[in-house]
Amino acid sequence: MLQTDVLIIGAGAVGCAIARELTKYQLQVLVVDKNEDVGGDASKSNSAIIHTGYDAPPGTLESQLVVAANPMYEKLTQELDVPYKKVGAILPAITDEQFEMLPALKEKAFKNRVYDVEYLTGEQLLAMEPNLNPEVKAGLYIPRENIIDPFLLVVAYAENAHQNGARFLLGTKVTGIRVEDGKVVAAQTTAGEIKATYIVNAAGLYCDEIAAMVGKNDYYVNPRKGQFYILDKNTSVKVNHIVLPIPTKVTKGKLMCPTVHGNMLVGPTAEDLEDKQDYSTTAEGLASIEADVRKLIPKVNLKDSITQYCGLRPNRNPEGLRVDTYDDVKNYVNLSGVRSTGLTASVSLGKYVAQTLIEMGMPAKFNPNFNPIRKGIPRFHELSYEEKDALIKQNPLYGKVICRCETITEGEIVDAIHRPIPARSVDAIKRRLRAGMGRCQGGFCGPRVIEILARELGVSTQEILKNQPGSYMIAGQVRGERVMANV
Ligand SMILES: Cc1cc2nc3c(=O)[nH]c(=O)nc-3n(C[C@H](O)[C@H](O)[C@H](O)COP(=O)(O)OP(=O)(O)OC[C@H]3O[C@@H](n4cnc5c(N)ncnc54)[C@H](O)[C@@H]3O)c2cc1C
């Protein structure tokens, strides 16, 4: 039977950040996730913005965590070798009604102690963003709203936690929690029972189901779907900043922003659902994005879309981000309502949960061997000619470009497959390296990635998965040719 000091349920941004934080102490840490890879559910399908917390509900835990987290990202992304770009956000008021709302938004920012939010004139905004609606009256500038690679953030948290001693048990679902004498003692999983002194519920969309396992049924979670367009890097109409709409009472609205890799992101919708598996994009949802974003960027060219996707925000009912502990279920920490800002809050939630466990009595002896530095796979396309040449001499596989759209080499793919948290599926490669994320969406490199995965994992190409069990990429053979199943 597996045994650990702390068991974390969920290997999304939050679970992995908590794991990394806990490896700063002399503890056994085990992360379990039902998915076959780290990366979570919501953590891989969001807007990739590191928020300031300017618009969080003032006085809440969410405000506290997001405001605290934002300044940590510069150092964190350097330590973890994660792409992060300081772009800033603008909030333009196009109508008179929106103009009237600016003072209240600035006051909210002030209440959240985000003091660097400033007014800008319409002229200043147009100078910063020439593609903005020319009718813009004025707006706000939020200089520290920035963008990150969300996939690599989670992989990097996990790899650094692993490097410092944390273990990961993936493809393993928690099905029950054993509570004895008012204290958690073990989790039942599809891989057997895991004895644990402390259990942390970081299960995102499913945190209510985990909470119910310890008898806590005081809230439920429904998915709030957010659909997006991703535009080609060469789209004719771009923005340099995160261009945010003035929020309404119901939604933060749909934005347009660059990604750290140079694409444009347009969306998301906010649709309340019941089905936690509904990852469909819909004609209505995409049409609503177009209608709304055109009010901000009238010439946005959605024909340059290379793909669309959707994410499900874990919407807590009743609302609010919470970290709960219970007198009648000791040694258990329950996270819920980590909804729209959890990517940002992950780093401060890691610290908050560690402190919560310490206050519960968890021994907190500093681990003097903790190493905060994680070195990622070399990003070939970012290197100088001299660096590329040296890398190819060292490993000739770096001289073979597999993904032509993103210039990803065989060397990078092979490295990703053999990392401590290995990439074992087509999507796992895509999220770590961007092979298949470019204009052709894997049309050219897909079959080569499958062949490399099969070769390195020592299996047949027919066994290679897109992501989850059963998601085979190759259906079979027709006249000696392989037939792609999932592209
Ligand atoms: C459309 C959209 C836009 C967003 N934009 C932003 C943004 O720009 N900036 C920002 O900061 N945040 C944003 N967010 C929010 C952010 O993505 C989430 O708050 C954050 O990713 C939540 O991370 P998590 O680790 O809590 O959850 P997840 O990433 O969902 O991870 C939870 C994990 O728990 C696992 N799990 C669940 N049940 C079990 C079980 N029984 N056994 C084992 N494992 C289990 C799941 O498999 C999953 O891997 C956005 C979210 C969405 C959907």
Side-chain angles (χ1 to χ4, degrees), residues 9-15 32-35 39-51 172-174 202-206 210 213 224 226 228 268 311-314 338-345:
I9 306 169
V14 173
V32 63
D33 201 294
K34 65 179 172 48
N35 292 344
D41 290 332
S43 303
K44 59 179 184 276
S45 45
N46 47 60
S47 312
I49 297 173
I50 295 304
H51 293 295
T172 303
K173 186 174 177 181
V174 172
L205 199 53
Y206 299 89
I210 302 292
M213 293 174 193
R224 181 169 289 173
F228 293 91
L312 301 178
R313 307 170 185 88
V338 187
R339 189 182 67 186
S340 305
T341 51
L343 188 71
T344 308

Side-chain angles (χ1 to χ4, degrees), residues 199-315:
I199 295 182
V200 178
N201 172 5
L205 199 53
Y206 299 89
C207 65
D208 53 348
E209 294 173 22
I210 302 292
M213 293 174 193
V214 296
K216 299 296 165 191
N217 294 300
D218 54 339
Y219 71 95
Y220 74 96
V221 176
N222 79 289
R224 181 169 289 173
K225 185 192 276 193
Q227 304 187 42
F228 293 91
Y229 280 101
I230 300 188
L231 308 188
D232 189 66
K233 289 178 185 173
N234 289 332
T235 186
S236 48
V237 178
K238 293 191 180 192
V239 292
N240 310 306
H241 302 82
I242 303 161
V243 181
L244 299 165
I246 303 274
T248 66
K249 282 205 175 97
V250 186
T251 163
K252 280 186 184 207
K254 301 169 186 89
L255 57 86
M256 178 159 172
C257 70
T259 71
V260 284
H261 302 288
N263 298 92
M264 291 290 132
L265 195 63
V266 189
T269 56
E271 306 156 59
D272 278 317
L273 314 171
E274 290 305 322
D275 180 1
K276 291 182 177 178
Q277 305 285 335
D278 181 355
Y279 283 96
S280 60
T281 50
T282 62
E284 303 79 53
L286 296 172
S288 78
I289 296 174
E290 172 157 19
D292 287 359
V293 170
R294 280 208 190 287
K295 292 176 194 158
L296 289 172
I297 312 288
K299 292 187 182 149
V300 59
N301 191 352
L302 295 172
K303 290 206 177 82
D304 284 337
S305 164
I306 54 170
T307 190
Q308 302 91 35
Y309 69 95
C310 102
L312 301 178
R313 307 170 185 88
N315 186 44

Side-chain angles (χ1 to χ4, degrees), residues 38 101 107 116 139 152 161 185 273 278 320 337 348 360 402 405 415 421 425 477:
V38 300
M101 288 170 72
E107 192 184 327
D116 51 359
L152 274 190
V185 292
L273 314 171
D278 181 355
S348 46
M360 254 178 196
I402 300 296
C405 302
D415 276 359
I421 310 271
S425 68
Q477 296 216 329

